Amino acid sequence: MPELPEVETIKKDLETNLIGSTITGIDLLWPGIIKDMAPNTFQNKVIGAKVTSVTRRAKNLIVQLSSDKFLLFHMKMTGHLIFADSCWQVDKSGRWLSVESKKSPMHDPLNQYIRIIFRLDNPSKKTDKILAFSDLRKFAYVKLLDKKHLALVLDRYGPEPFSEKFNTHYLQSIFSKKSIAIKKMLMDQALIAGIGNIYADEILWAAKIHPQTPANKISVDKIELLHKTIQDILKKAIEMRGTSTSDFRDTSGKKGSFGNVLNVYRKTGQPCPRDGTPIKRITVGGRGTHFCPTCQKEGSDV
DNA sequence: AATCGTTCCTGATAGC
DNA sequence: TGCTATCAGGAACGAT
């Protein structure tokens, strides 16, 4: 599921490829992908606009248009954006046609649930391009917002982990007020932007904190370590272009490599890389949670 | 006011 | 073999 590093990877790809392109048409294969607006209105307002910038906030991807409107993409669990030549076509159910090679990224089952295609014209590129939005589970969406409504949506998120506001003092202030599980707090988008299930588990393992530790029981020293760990892990994951243990693909359909260096996420029963104890899986806040019961002991070392 | 449960959806997998 | 039931999971929203 795309979290901060995965959406950042998509953002970097599209910054290179999308800026300056004009959206010349839209193929809508599943109208439900468009939220908060009638599909016809959406198409009328988007077609003809030029992409002026691509940014990320929390797990959202924001594509600014020359019309001073913004496309807001959320990938949820299985959303992928694919940037490709316009010769690629899909059938009525959103599967790519004429996939000759099994090695082609388009052959990947997870790139074959196309819900909407943006057709692009860019004079500086040799051929026309498309931006296709694939999403197996139909949780992902795209919205068209003006500046005011975009600000309203984005203001609900907590600080970005690489912003100045995200410092040890901030973590102390939010943790001290609540006794809920630290993992739930790390994943609360209104408190910290961009951390999801994979990175929450990896961060807590690296900082040796039990995922169910009440947030207000964590010492100042541990908060400092946690702060550093959040930044270190997210930075490394961005450098490795994300985690693709299940669904994530970049805009050319390729996997990220952070999945190769995971220590606990989806490693149930496998030895902890630090002490060899089998990794345990529990549920925290309704989410599958992986940790080492020995080096992330509950109620100790907090 | 804060927190919990439900909802959206499909494919993989387990169980019979 | 082939069916049905269960589960995963981000985050908005309704319920308590």
Side-chain angles (χ1 to χ4, degrees), chain A residues 94-118:
Chain A
R95 262 94 176 160
W96 297 106
L97 295 169
S98 320
V99 183
E100 284 157 26
S101 160
K102 288 206 171 181
K103 284 181 184 167
S104 164
M106 305 308 189
H107 189 268
D108 187 331
L110 288 158
N111 290 330
Q112 290 197 41
Y113 300 90
I114 308 302
R115 310 302 182 190
I116 189 169
I117 296 175
F118 296 86

Side-chain angles (χ1 to χ4, degrees), chain A residues 30-285:
Chain A
W30 183 67
I33 192 97
I34 297 167
K35 285 272 153 58
D36 300 343
M37 189 179 280
N40 277 345
T41 314
F42 181 90
Q43 298 190 25
N44 289 338
K45 291 188 183 222
V46 170
I47 293 170
K50 194 182 198 175
V51 175
T52 57
S53 77
V54 182
T55 50
R56 179 195 59 75
R57 176 80 171 96
K59 302 174 194 171
N60 296 278
L61 183 85
I62 300 134
V63 175
Q64 184 174 11
L65 303 177
S66 53
S67 53
D68 218 25
K69 293 240 160 61
F70 299 81
L71 290 170
L72 181 86
F73 292 89
H74 200 300
M75 310 296 148
K76 292 290 177 115
M77 261 86 65
T78 55
H80 305 136
L81 283 166
I82 299 154
F83 184 77
D85 287 342
S86 63
C87 57
W88 284 98
Q89 299 201 5
V90 298
D91 65 18
K92 273 189 285 183
S93 60
R95 262 94 176 160
W96 297 106
L97 295 169
S98 320
V99 183
E100 284 157 26
S101 160
K102 288 206 171 181
K103 284 181 184 167
S104 164
M106 305 308 189
H107 189 268
D108 187 331
L110 288 158
N111 290 330
Q112 290 197 41
Y113 300 90
I114 308 302
R115 310 302 182 190
I116 189 169
I117 296 175
F118 296 86
R119 303 203 160 270
L120 305 163
D121 171 23
N122 186 336
S124 71
K125 292 200 165 62
K126 284 177 190 163
T127 57
D128 288 348
K129 298 285 180 176
I130 55 169
L131 180 69
F133 197 8
S134 170
D135 181 42
L136 188 156
R137 296 217 178 129
K138 294 186 173 176
F139 281 18
Y141 58 77
V142 56
K143 292 178 181 179
L144 183 69
L145 299 169
D146 60 29
K147 208 168 198 163
K148 195 178 132 196
H149 286 99
L150 179 74
L152 228 63
V153 171
L154 299 186
D155 281 352
R156 289 201 297 251
Y157 290 95
E160 287 288 325
F162 294 107
S163 69
E164 240 173 77
K165 205 190 159 193
F166 183 79
N167 53 41
T168 308
H169 287 298
Y170 174 73
L171 288 184
Q172 275 176 41
S173 72
I174 60 169
F175 291 168
S176 63
K177 288 176 198 147
K178 303 214 184 193
S179 60
I180 62 169
I182 183 65
K183 174 165 177 182
K184 283 185 76 176
M185 294 209 71
L186 291 183
M187 289 176 66
D188 187 336
Q189 300 302 299
L191 299 175
I192 307 168
I195 299 174
N197 209 28
I198 298 171
Y199 296 105
D201 282 4
E202 292 298 316
I203 287 162
L204 290 172
W205 179 83
K208 298 190 189 176
I209 298 170
H210 190 289
Q212 283 175 319
T213 308
N216 58 3
K217 294 275 161 58
I218 299 177
S219 68
V220 175
D221 284 357
K222 271 284 178 185
I223 291 175
E224 278 172 13
L225 174 65
L226 186 57
H227 175 262
K228 184 182 183 302
T229 306
I230 289 170
Q231 292 190 331
D232 287 351
I233 287 186
L234 294 178
K235 182 168 177 279
K236 192 176 174 194
I238 291 168
E239 285 165 5
M240 296 179 78
R241 297 181 62 79
T243 302
S244 296
T245 45
S246 54
D247 48 79
F248 175 66
R249 305 292 184 269
D250 70 13
T251 63
S252 58
K254 293 196 204 85
K255 295 181 177 187
S257 54
F258 195 79
N260 302 330
V261 297
L262 291 175
N263 290 302
V264 284
Y265 181 72
R266 292 205 181 171
K267 301 277 184 190
T268 311
Q270 295 181 42
C272 166
R274 267 194 303 249
D275 62 28
T277 310
I279 298 302
K280 206 173 161 188
R281 185 186 191 280
I282 56 171
T283 300
V284 178

